[in-house]
Amino acid sequence: MKKTSTRLADGRELIYYDLRDDSVRDATDRRPLDRTVTTSEVRRDPLLGDSVAIASHRQGRTYHPPADECPLCPSEGDRLSEIPDSSYDVVVFENRFPSLAGDSGRCEVVCFTSDHNASFADLTEEQAGLVLEAWTDRTSELSHLPSVEQVFCFENRGAEIGVTLGHPHGQIYAYPFTTPRTALMLRSAATHKEMTGGENLFDAVLERERAGERVVLEGEHWVAFVPYAAHWPYEVHLYPKRRVPDLLGLDEGARTEFPKVYLELLRRFDRIFGESESPTPYIAAWHQAPFGPLEEFDGVVREDFALHLELFTIRRTSGKLKFLAGSESGMNVFINDVPPERAAERLREVASS
């Protein structure tokens, strides 16, 4: 992998990740852009104890542009985009309309391929491996920013999810706090560790799931399963078998096997509802241990957390979506219409040839 860092016309950082070591990235951003001005502010809810990002400048972000005006495609002739070069393998840049910025963190965009009509599932194993390297590198770099406590790499795919740009891409949020969902996991891990005399909760969950009927696929280094209490109609958790707190901790074997396993999962997701309803909308989310202090989680250290990816779709059956209505949005109590055992069975049925 070759990494080349440069700057866009408004001062934002852009980084090329190339498969070839002899790639040259010297194109300049020719757009007449003013410096980016953001109004991001993080406010803490005194009742719930969580944080909300207030970012009014995002109202003006790019919204469903035609394909020939996509800002994530390479620049070509007089059609100038966020990527100055005429081609790329993987590219990461600071979001022009960030939810978090400055002392409130940082937001980045990750373009998986220059092919506008592709998806992550269309990548080769080599290309998917390069994306993993980019996620890992950004996790490392962002973790050293003084305002950052947690790094979150994720992909939203599909209009049903709310995606406003059709080009295959994901995002990275670098939060100035430990996110509420991660805090819940850490509290559960702390309680379990105390009650069991030191047993790791993530290890216990993984052992139980591997012995059950909800495993979707398993390799030498990774295992994917539908969790016992899945929140979403089709939800898969992907764990490395050797517990590590973040992407930086993956060994060479896990890194090498990841593209094959993950691409297989994504391709199965596109088969769940048949060809007429493909591609399947989904969210893919990496859960990593916070880099900030963990004193509030009694007895838990970073190494107790288990890196894992959660992949889920809001489509519950053909032509129907799972909406977060009163119980889910009002009380955070999910109601799942698809039994996890049936979801796992379906995901095994649609294995690619």
Side-chain angles (χ1 to χ4, degrees):
M1 180 193 78
K2 181 180 181 182
K3 175 183 175 182
T4 306
S5 180
T6 184
R7 293 280 172 180
L8 296 172
D10 55 8
R12 289 176 294 132
E13 185 178 18
L14 179 142
I15 306 161
Y16 294 98
Y17 293 90
D18 286 294
L19 291 168
R20 292 172 55 97
D21 290 337
D22 59 355
S23 297
V24 177
R25 301 297 184 185
D26 55 7
T28 59
D29 186 0
R30 295 181 284 128
R31 296 173 297 171
L33 297 180
D34 294 328
R35 283 275 176 177
T36 300
V37 178
T38 65
T39 57
S40 297
E41 177 188 358
V42 173
R43 298 183 182 180
R44 189 164 182 82
D45 186 320
L47 295 181
L48 298 179
D50 58 11
S51 299
V52 178
I54 310 296
S56 60
H57 62 278
R58 285 174 53 79
Q59 288 280 35
R61 66 187 184 274
T62 307
Y63 187 80
H64 292 304
D68 60 356
E69 296 178 17
C70 174
L72 306 185
C73 287
S75 293
E76 184 176 356
D78 294 330
R79 189 187 64 75
L80 305 179
S81 73
E82 290 280 66
I83 296 90
D85 215 322
S86 59
S87 67
Y88 64 84
D89 291 336
V90 173
V91 70
V92 177
F93 60 88
E94 289 184 75
N95 198 319
R96 191 176 178 186
F97 304 97
S99 303
L100 307 164
D103 292 338
S104 297
R106 175 158 158 153
C107 292
E108 299 182 340
V109 177
V110 184
C111 298
F112 304 138
T113 171
S114 60
D115 184 352
H116 180 85
N117 297 312
S119 70
F120 201 117
D122 295 323
L123 301 182
T124 65
E125 290 185 19
E126 186 179 36
Q127 289 173 308
L130 183 61
V131 176
L132 177 62
E133 290 302 312
W135 283 331
T136 305
D137 181 71
R138 297 315 301 152
T139 295
S140 176
E141 292 291 326
L142 293 170
S143 71
H144 289 95
L145 296 180
S147 63
V148 172
E149 284 196 14
Q150 187 172 358
V151 179
F152 176 46
C153 307
F154 65 100
E155 179 192 2
N156 298 328
R157 202 274 286 268
E160 298 92 334
I161 299 294
V163 175
T164 58
L165 297 175
H167 195 103
H169 72 289
Q171 300 181 65
I172 302 175
Y173 276 24
Y175 297 102
F177 50 80
T178 296
T179 61
R181 188 173 177 86
T182 302
L184 284 174
M185 292 188 219
L186 290 169
R187 291 191 186 100
S188 295
T191 300
H192 184 86
K193 189 174 185 178
E194 181 181 4
M195 292 180 62
T196 60
E199 182 181 62
N200 183 275
L201 175 60
F202 294 96
D203 291 350
V205 168
L206 188 57
E207 181 180 1
R208 183 184 69 181
E209 293 291 1
R210 288 184 67 190
E213 60 182 314
R214 290 179 298 275
V215 172
V216 175
L217 62 88
E218 185 168 357
E220 181 181 354
H221 301 279
W222 295 86
V223 60
F225 58 88
V226 177
Y228 170 73
H231 289 55
W232 299 94
Y234 290 90
E235 175 182 339
V236 174
H237 293 191
L238 177 63
Y239 276 71
K241 292 182 179 179
R242 183 179 69 88
R243 173 165 44 90
V244 295
D246 51 44
L247 289 166
L248 302 173
L250 292 175
D251 60 25
E252 191 60 33
R255 292 184 181 282
T256 300
E257 187 181 68
F258 171 78
K260 180 178 181 180
V261 173
Y262 187 48
L263 290 172
E264 173 65 18
L265 272 182
L266 293 181
R267 290 161 187 168
R268 291 190 191 192
F269 256 61
D270 278 343
R271 293 184 173 91
I272 295 173
F273 306 103
E275 291 298 325
S276 63
E277 300 229 16
S278 181
T280 299
Y282 66 72
I283 293 174
W286 279 109
H287 292 265
Q288 305 192 80
F291 289 94
L294 299 180
E295 284 85 355
E296 64 179 291
F297 310 106
D298 294 338
V300 170
V301 296
R302 286 196 81 247
E303 288 68 28
D304 289 329
F305 192 87
L307 167 76
H308 62 283
L309 182 141
E310 297 184 8
L311 172 68
F312 61 89
T313 179
I314 63 171
R315 185 174 289 162
R316 57 188 175 88
T317 189
S318 296
K320 297 178 182 178
L321 301 179
K322 166 64 178 176
F323 292 103
L324 300 190
S327 185
E328 291 89 352
S329 294
M331 283 294 167
N332 200 28
V333 178
F334 275 67
I335 301 168
N336 190 352
D337 301 316
V338 180
E341 293 74 22
R342 174 55 189 149
E345 181 182 18
R346 178 59 181 158
L347 285 163
R348 289 193 296 267
E349 289 174 351
V350 294
S352 61
S353 56

